[in-house]
Amino acid sequence: MDISLGERVFIVGANASGKSNLIDVFRFLRDIAKQQGGGLQKAIEERDGLSKIRCLAARKYPDVEIELHLSDGDKAKPTWKYAIGIRQEARGHREPYLAFEKVWKGESLILTRPNDDDKQDKERLKQTHLEQINSNGDFREIAHFFESIDYIHLVPQLLKFPNAFVGKALEGDPFGKEFLQRVVRTPEKTRNARLKKIEEGLRLAVPQLKALQIEKDELGFPHLEAIYEHWKHAGAKQREDQFSDGTLRLIGLLWALLESESLLLLEEPELSLNTGIVKQLAGLIHRMQREKKRQVLISTHSADLLGEGVGGEETLLLQTTREGTEVRQAVSIEEVRVMLESGFSVGEAVMPKVTPPNIAKLSLGL
Amino acid sequence: MKPCLLAVEDEVSEIAARQMIEIYSHLQVLECYGKKGFGYLKANISKFQRASRQMPYFVLTDLDQYPCATALKEDWKIVSTPSILCFASRFAQSNLG
């Protein structure tokens, strides 16, 4: 697939069409570039091997290839291009190694592997130059960009009951198990400013909630606290385990939007949220993104999220075929374009295209 | 085959509409919209009409309390255009429902 990604991109598709896999391409590059605990081998191992990364519909064992073009704006020419191809050893431990690694600065090719050194020592191909400080000096900007990619898919139960889910949080804590520690680690001034902004945003969704702050308990564990206003003058103090799932997800989402300085990946931000709030999300993301000038990729199942202000050109539609998933810009599909030009929202125009044809039979079949 | 679009109240109407289009026209349905009851069709009928300027649109709804299709078309302020066919019928429910 070959896709163009603007400042804000919505990814829609049926269940199991590959939305999370598409988002994982960027997480994968981040995991390679990460200076602490990163690298090609680790990134592949965390995904259970190359065979799990490869396209399900792939014939035989083709290479996995990724090429990214990075530019300063939608229309600007790429300032950087990075490409890797990965294959697996045919026998033995079947370890993955680089089929190629290439970097372009503008139009000039500044790195191409395998080079002479790689040919003499094949072990070198088990690492990218991207992940090595000694080797990525000429294109460290790319490594920094990949490393700063942020992903959030906050699972409220992990945050509410961390002790029920033993073990260390996943690398980068994508599901928010250590979200509170992340908030505490933020310098106090920045943290308070963000919590204040989040509280303002939250008051629109949960008008009874005020005075959002982080407090440590007697054992030193951090907790989110807020006052829930009711008939008593002082209201009632609540902690994160008493917050609703929607409130927690909204806090996580707003925090990520305020925190992220780079590409932000959001998976189904509409989960647990009231329809009225979901309708406001695209505008909210746009406003916060405009302030920070960074890119956001959002996967969604919600027609409400794809309402007013969302364009067909910033929406990617994933459709499954026998040969794998195809990605198309929504506006490039004739009937979607007709619907959009007639005043329908992107959600209205694209959702029937990602609804399985026989889904109505589900209720009859059970 | 020339492409067309379809809007219906529900799945049963969709089956009926697709059958009618297949048997009585040379149109191919690209997508079926609606399926959220008659309220959605009525609220968006002007948009369906606008869309029909670019592509034939077939809208199927049930007459319910209307005495005839003309009364429904008048109430919904449907302006006849060559490329929109609003078909209101009791047939769908009585025979397929």
Side-chain angles (χ1 to χ4, degrees), chain A residues 6-299:
Chain A
E7 281 184 6
R8 187 177 65 167
V9 183
F10 296 91
I11 304 166
V12 288
N15 286 115
S17 60
K19 295 186 296 298
S20 300
N21 288 343
L22 180 55
I23 282 184
D24 196 45
V25 171
F26 303 96
R27 295 175 66 200
F28 181 67
L29 290 169
R30 181 198 62 184
D31 292 350
I32 294 176
K34 222 161 33 186
Q35 282 310 307
Q36 285 183 344
L40 178 69
Q41 298 301 324
K42 179 95 187 293
I44 294 172
E45 191 189 311
E46 276 177 359
R47 287 161 180 79
D48 242 359
L50 198 63
S51 56
K52 298 284 169 64
I53 296 174
R54 198 179 279 131
C55 173
L56 265 181
R59 291 184 164 82
K60 293 194 177 169
Y61 305 106
D63 296 350
V64 172
E65 296 184 2
I66 305 171
E67 180 171 323
L68 248 87
H69 296 190
L70 308 172
S71 67
D72 289 329
D74 281 356
K75 304 273 184 294
K77 281 190 172 175
T79 18
W80 294 100
K81 290 190 233 173
Y82 179 79
I84 49 168
I86 310 158
R87 67 176 59 144
Q88 209 164 14
E89 288 172 340
R91 53 188 73 84
H93 295 296
R94 300 182 64 78
E95 283 186 24
Y97 65 95
L98 286 171
F100 63 85
E101 182 180 24
K102 292 178 183 178
V103 179
W104 292 261
K105 186 171 187 178
E107 291 302 316
S108 336
L109 185 64
I110 60 167
L111 172 77
T112 181
R113 298 179 67 198
N115 53 24
D116 292 341
D117 292 336
D118 296 326
K119 282 169 194 160
Q120 281 180 12
D121 179 5
K122 291 229 184 302
E123 282 294 300
R124 290 169 55 96
L125 288 172
K126 290 183 179 164
Q127 289 188 337
T128 60
H129 275 197
L130 182 75
E131 71 201 71
Q132 300 172 56
I133 295 177
N134 290 339
S135 313
N136 68 13
D138 291 338
F139 56 94
R140 194 157 298 147
E141 212 177 310
I142 303 181
H144 284 322
F145 172 70
F146 287 163
E147 205 179 356
S148 62
I149 290 172
D150 245 329
Y151 168 85
I152 186 154
H153 183 56
L154 197 138
V155 179
Q157 283 69 23
L158 280 180
L159 185 59
K160 284 181 178 183
F161 315 110
N163 296 333
F165 302 93
V166 287
K168 227 176 144 289
L170 288 173
E171 207 59 52
D173 192 28
F175 306 118
K177 187 165 184 267
E178 292 178 352
F179 175 73
L180 295 179
Q181 284 86 330
R182 188 165 154 184
V183 175
V184 169
R185 278 197 300 269
T186 310
E188 193 180 352
K189 209 172 155 190
T190 315
R191 180 176 69 217
N192 291 341
R194 282 184 193 158
L195 287 175
K196 195 165 182 297
K197 270 199 164 183
I198 292 173
E199 187 192 319
E200 285 165 17
L202 268 181
R203 276 182 81 82
L204 300 172
V206 194
Q208 309 89 325
L209 213 71
K210 67 169 195 178
L212 181 70
Q213 56 180 336
I214 199 110
E215 283 287 327
K216 285 191 176 170
D217 63 18
E218 52 280 8
L219 296 171
F221 291 113
H223 293 281
L224 270 176
E225 273 189 5
I227 302 288
Y228 193 85
E229 289 178 323
H230 57 34
W231 56 272
K232 269 190 191 169
H233 180 67
K237 213 176 239 187
Q238 285 203 316
R239 275 188 178 172
E240 73 278 353
D241 56 351
Q242 294 160 308
F243 288 179
S244 75
D245 288 0
T247 305
L248 280 176
R249 279 192 63 91
L250 205 50
I251 291 172
L253 174 69
L254 292 170
W255 182 272
L257 284 166
L258 289 165
E259 183 182 58
S260 174
E261 296 291 342
S262 176
L263 170 62
L264 177 61
L265 311 169
L266 296 173
E267 210 156 354
E268 297 172 26
E270 71 272 13
L271 290 183
S272 311
L273 297 180
N274 168 282
T275 308
I277 301 168
V278 174
K279 283 181 179 166
Q280 302 298 323
L281 278 184
L284 176 81
I285 291 167
H286 172 68
R287 277 194 302 281
M288 297 181 89
Q289 169 194 26
R290 200 175 43 191
E291 280 173 25
K292 292 211 154 194
K293 289 191 176 147
R294 48 105 213 276
Q295 204 172 11
V296 188
L297 260 63
I298 307 143
S299 75

